[in-house]
Amino acid sequence: MTESHEQHLRQIWQVVAAIPRGTTMSYGQVAARAGLPRRARMVGRALGVAPDELGLPWHRVVRADGRIGLPAGSAGYRSQCRKLKAEGLDVRDGRVAGGGTSDRATSLDETLWS
DNA sequence: CCGATGACTCTGC
DNA sequence: CGCAGAGCCATCG
């Protein structure tokens, strides 16, 4: 059952659930914070297997460029875009703006988040 | 065991 | 600003 791997999923979900409202985090960021330095891809899979019962704010997880991690036009894409707007953020052409401007700074946040 | 795929990221052109 | 290539890790055939 690869329980060690399940633990990682738990951490990922926990990190995602710990994302402040009105803020967006990149996959690599979540992965790093979950203890997975290079497992950004696994984060995507984790969200994919994440049950809705957890009420996981997966919509706060976007790509490093601040773009939606799902194909434009997909159901998840629209959902994420809409939820982000509901969070007070602004979605432009698939891009997410942090409450007015860019709030996330990729590698910079890592030092900040420490 | 090897090859292909993927809710990723970075660098170069 | 957009496209292409390379790197990274886990899962599936």
Side-chain angles (χ1 to χ4, degrees):
Chain A
M1 253 301 203
T2 65
E3 52 273 338
S4 23
H5 160 230
E6 260 204 23
Q7 285 297 299
H8 293 159
L9 294 179
R10 290 280 194 169
Q11 293 210 216
I12 293 169
W13 296 337
Q14 191 168 318
V15 172
V16 175
I19 299 175
R21 179 187 170 285
T23 307
T24 53
M25 221 162 145
S26 58
Y27 291 91
Q29 220 53 76
V30 175
R33 193 127 166 49
L36 309 162
R38 264 66 182 173
R39 259 130 298 241
R41 277 183 145 119
M42 204 169 99
V43 175
R45 181 164 311 260
L47 293 176
V49 301
D52 295 3
E53 293 76 53
L54 291 177
L56 197 68
W58 61 271
H59 53 263
R60 286 179 194 156
V61 184
V62 292
R63 286 183 37 173
D65 305 346
R67 283 216 180 221
I68 306 297
L70 294 152
S74 288
Y77 174 89
R78 285 192 305 172
S79 269
Q80 181 160 23
C81 177
R82 176 196 290 224
K83 286 159 196 258
L84 287 172
K85 287 181 180 176
E87 298 277 301
L89 290 165
D90 186 29
V91 183
R92 287 287 191 173
D93 197 29
R95 197 141 57 259
V96 184
T101 45
S102 30
D103 51 25
R104 110 191 70 56
T106 43
S107 30
L108 180 62
D109 50 24
E110 216 184 297
T111 314
L112 209 72
W113 274 77
S114 177

